[in-house]
Amino acid sequence: MNRKLSLLLLLAFLLGACTVYKEYPIEIYQPGIIPVPPNADNVAIVYRNFKYKNDTLQHYYQDDFRLKKARKDPENLDSILVNICIQELAKNLKDKNTFNEIHIFPELFKTHYGDKLPTLNQDVVNKITETTHSDLLISLETYSYFYSEYSSTAELPTRSNEVITAAVWAVYNPVSSKLIEHKTMIDTIFWNGYDEGGNSVRNAKLPPRLTALKIASQMAGENYAKRFFASWQNANRMYSVPPLPDFAAADEYVQKREWDNAILLWMRYADDSNGKMAINARYNLAFAYEMKDDLETAQKWLIAAQQIAQDYKSKEDLKMILQYRRVLQKRLQDITRLEQSE
């Protein structure tokens, strides 16, 4: 058996024996989730005022798992909370300069009930946007909330309370007559007698029910606003460390963010003559070039890794490579969207 073949067999054995796959945490600047048209300068925000027939607990709350009726609620509680929610949405959109003008109409629709929530009639969408000279319509389709409070227990020796909000939002494009998004957002906000460090606070004051509902409604508007503008998001990338000294050394360079040094070591194994080890090397090279913000070169190395993985019919490697290719393709699309929005 010649020396080259022996080396290939040894590499194949080592690769299959104990290759370690590691995650590398990164932050990625991503555009807003909602694809706002580039020419949408003005927006109208409305409250659809739809209520499901079984949504009847606005004036009730839970006290240690017992349902009770609230006796001092204002009659227009729903209107108060919706206004807070929409105002907070508008404030966050304005702070981020998402739109030039924002028109708010929280009481445009009368309360109406049903078993199913239909999309807003296109003629209604057109009438609202034409009247307000808006390029987009954001609708809080329906909004519900529920407050609970609990006494101290052996597991949680402080009083606590919470509010759960459920909002259905829709974004309508009058120009294309399309529904851009229809999204259900469920948020929970919780209070107890502990500070952020987990220390018990003596005589801690929890917000009373109406105050808690207002805070939760504000948070509901803020959380939906985040879907419109760009933000930093946490993500993970994968790379492999086969049981070879060069890959171990490259791993150390990864931890130091010394990408060029890691690339030099992985390049030694990227040739076809290295067999399946080349799959790992090429995949790792794609990872390194992404970290260097060279996404085109990263894609080229992934294609090269895919080619050799197909030759060896390595299904698991192909699955990982194709998934990474989709991730990079989305990043390229996101970068294009960010550049267009500037």
Side-chain angles (χ1 to χ4, degrees):
M1 185 179 295
N2 63 47
R3 186 171 179 273
K4 184 176 181 180
L5 182 57
S6 298
L7 179 59
L8 285 175
L9 289 174
L10 178 60
L11 289 176
F13 173 76
L14 290 173
L15 184 61
C18 52
T19 294
V20 176
Y21 292 88
K22 292 189 173 184
E23 284 189 340
Y24 187 84
I26 61 173
E27 281 191 332
I28 297 174
Y29 195 60
Q30 293 183 330
I33 297 172
I34 299 173
V36 176
N39 58 345
D41 295 324
N42 305 326
V43 64
I45 303 175
V46 302
Y47 176 41
R48 178 86 173 275
N49 214 344
F50 176 89
K51 294 290 183 185
Y52 287 102
K53 290 181 178 179
N54 59 355
D55 185 7
T56 58
L57 297 178
Q58 289 96 335
H59 298 287
Y60 289 82
Y61 68 98
Q62 187 172 249
D63 182 1
D64 282 337
F65 306 100
R66 295 187 302 272
L67 189 65
K68 292 186 177 182
K69 183 173 176 60
R71 302 189 180 279
K72 296 183 179 181
D73 276 0
E75 291 185 7
N76 63 337
L77 177 62
D78 191 70
S79 178
I80 292 172
L81 299 180
V82 164
N83 266 282
I84 291 172
C85 179
I86 290 179
Q87 290 288 348
E88 189 64 22
L89 167 66
K91 176 182 178 298
N92 278 266
L93 294 178
K94 183 178 180 181
D95 289 346
K96 293 291 184 177
N97 297 315
T98 310
F99 301 101
N100 291 335
E101 294 185 12
I102 301 174
H103 309 282
I104 304 174
F105 303 97
E107 298 179 1
L108 190 63
F109 293 85
K110 294 182 178 180
T111 305
H112 52 293
Y113 298 85
D115 294 317
K116 294 183 179 181
L117 175 60
T119 57
L120 202 55
N121 182 278
Q122 188 59 44
D123 291 336
V124 176
V125 173
N126 292 340
K127 184 176 181 180
I128 295 172
T129 52
E130 288 172 5
T131 303
T132 60
H133 304 288
S134 299
D135 306 306
L136 214 62
L137 178 65
I138 302 173
S139 172
L140 175 53
E141 304 279 80
T142 185
Y143 183 65
S144 60
Y145 39 86
F146 192 71
Y147 170 88
S148 301
E149 59 185 35
Y150 308 97
S151 301
S152 59
T153 63
E155 292 79 14
L156 185 63
T158 68
R159 293 172 52 249
S160 61
N161 55 14
E162 70 175 10
V163 174
I164 299 174
T165 61
V168 178
W169 299 89
V171 181
Y172 299 90
N173 185 343
V175 178
S176 64
S177 299
K178 290 183 178 180
L179 178 66
I180 294 177
E181 174 172 83
H182 197 265
K183 178 69 175 178
T184 300
M185 301 280 288
I186 299 176
D187 295 296
T188 302
I189 185 167
F190 182 83
W191 296 268
N192 58 30
Y194 291 93
D195 61 20
E196 293 182 357
N199 303 307
S200 178
V201 179
R202 182 178 296 182
N203 300 323
K205 292 184 178 180
L206 306 181
R209 176 174 171 271
L210 291 180
T211 302
L213 289 172
K214 291 176 182 179
I215 295 172
S217 297
Q218 189 175 15
M219 187 182 75
E222 178 184 350
N223 285 344
Y224 189 63
K226 293 176 182 177
R227 296 178 64 80
F228 284 88
F229 43 77
S231 61
W232 288 98
Q233 301 291 331
N234 294 324
N236 287 305
R237 293 293 183 262
M238 189 85 70
Y239 68 99
S240 62
V241 186
L244 291 173
D246 283 341
F247 280 86
D251 184 23
E252 293 182 7
Y253 287 131
V254 169
Q255 306 310 317
K256 298 176 184 177
R257 299 177 182 269
E258 296 181 7
W259 304 112
D260 289 336
N261 289 331
I263 286 171
L264 288 174
L265 292 174
W266 287 329
M267 283 291 292
R268 297 176 182 178
Y269 300 86
D271 189 79
D272 287 352
S273 61
N274 290 290
K276 292 187 69 176
M277 188 69 72
I279 301 174
N280 295 68
R282 295 175 184 184
Y283 185 96
N284 287 358
L285 285 165
F287 159 65
Y289 277 102
E290 185 193 5
M291 296 304 99
K292 286 166 62 69
D293 292 325
D294 186 349
L295 271 60
E296 290 187 5
T297 302
Q299 284 278 35
K300 290 178 181 178
W301 277 114
L302 276 181
I303 292 171
Q306 181 179 340
Q307 290 172 343
I308 197 167
Q310 288 171 338
D311 291 341
Y312 282 89
K313 296 181 173 57
S314 181
K315 293 182 179 179
E316 289 301 317
D317 286 322
L318 279 171
K319 182 179 178 181
M320 189 167 65
I321 292 166
L322 291 173
Q323 182 179 356
Y324 194 9
R325 286 194 65 184
R326 287 191 292 269
V327 168
L328 287 186
Q329 186 59 41
K330 184 179 182 304
R331 275 208 69 190
L332 287 168
Q333 293 170 353
D334 287 346
I335 289 171
T336 301
R337 284 181 57 195
L338 286 167
E339 290 173 347
Q340 290 174 347
S341 64
E342 291 180 352

